[in-house]
Amino acid sequence: MLWRAAFALLVLVVVGAPLARGTVHPPIIGVVIALVTAAFLASSLNYIVRRRPPAVPLLGWVFSLLALYTVFQTVDLPAAVIKLLSPKTHETLSFALEKIALYGDAVSRPLSLDPAATELQALIGLALAMALIVAYRAGRRENGLRDIQITILAAAMAVVLVSFGFRVFQFSLWPDDRGVVHLPGVLSSTFRNINHFAAFLVLALPTAIGFAIDVERSPLRRSIAAGIACLLAIAIVL
């Protein structure tokens, strides 16, 4: 039950995040972080209930350490330490704040020039680490890799259908579409940047191609995967 809840939350994030305007607005980022955290906790509890050590891949540890390093950049440090770690930051802070006594030997400042934005990036980095760990745990289960691949294809197809819907029917998932660029003659979707839209599809395309050429799958599934690959390729070009 715990694992089903964890994987359902992961699927919701993978499919929903691209549709939610590419997850660039802070309220949406907060919702995604909350869902990923819930998925991570549910999957961890599933291991604890079964009296097994939670599985964490090496890359999960690396992502977590990078998030902690990002948090470190928001900690107030003496000017001497900032000068040692980041001479350019020290130079910038000295030029901008030293004359008004907001920076110097007696005043501590963080390495980040925008601590609030850095804290948000740290939370995003931690969420990415947790999502990676949940996906890794899913891949270790029976048919787990297949389920992850299908989720990726579902997310890509959802974005493509929204983009074609806007082109053909002038339909948009978000009526106001603030910040979303719709250029004449260019296929767009829920992403604010059309290049991000194309990049997302490029990431999903190899999964569709892999499904299409996998001889162990049924001809029907291979045909469906080939059709999805063609749709993704067309959307990328347009």
Side-chain angles (χ1 to χ4, degrees), residues 32-76:
V32 170
I33 290 174
L35 291 174
V36 170
T37 302
F40 174 77
L41 292 176
S43 67
S44 298
L45 283 173
N46 181 65
Y47 277 89
I48 294 172
V49 168
R50 295 173 181 271
R51 297 182 179 180
R52 295 167 54 192
V56 179
L58 176 60
L59 198 56
W61 289 112
V62 172
F63 273 46
S64 299
L65 290 174
L66 287 174
L68 290 177
Y69 173 68
T70 305
V71 172
F72 170 72
Q73 296 181 56
T74 66
V75 177
D76 286 343

Side-chain angles (χ1 to χ4, degrees), residues 201-220:
L201 298 184
V202 167
L203 291 174
L205 182 59
T207 301
I209 295 175
F211 258 70
I213 64 177
D214 188 352
V215 294
E216 294 185 0
R217 301 189 185 278
S218 67
L220 177 60

Side-chain angles (χ1 to χ4, degrees), residues 156-226:
M157 282 303 301
V159 171
V160 168
L161 290 176
V162 169
S163 64
F164 280 118
F166 179 81
R167 169 67 68 85
V168 178
F169 304 107
Q170 295 297 302
F171 160 82
S172 180
L173 191 62
W174 301 92
D176 56 343
D177 270 346
R178 290 177 298 174
V180 179
V181 179
H182 295 299
L183 299 176
V186 177
L187 195 64
S188 59
S189 188
T190 54
F191 289 84
R192 293 183 65 182
N193 189 314
I194 57 176
N195 293 324
H196 295 170
F197 167 52
F200 176 75
L201 298 184
V202 167
L203 291 174
L205 182 59
T207 301
I209 295 175
F211 258 70
I213 64 177
D214 188 352
V215 294
E216 294 185 0
R217 301 189 185 278
S218 67
L220 177 60
R221 291 184 177 181
R222 292 176 63 188
S223 299
I224 293 173

Side-chain angles (χ1 to χ4, degrees), residues 99-158:
K99 291 182 180 180
I100 55 176
L102 292 178
Y103 183 70
D105 294 336
V107 181
S108 298
R109 301 285 299 188
L111 277 169
S112 172
L113 299 178
D114 189 347
T118 303
E119 290 169 358
L120 178 59
Q121 290 305 312
L123 289 174
I124 292 173
L126 185 59
L128 288 173
M130 291 190 291
L132 173 67
I133 292 170
V134 176
Y136 172 77
R137 292 170 179 174
R140 289 163 56 92
R141 299 175 68 88
E142 184 179 0
N143 297 323
L145 288 177
R146 182 204 63 187
D147 294 340
I148 292 173
Q149 291 168 336
I150 292 174
T151 301
I152 292 172
L153 293 181
M157 282 303 301

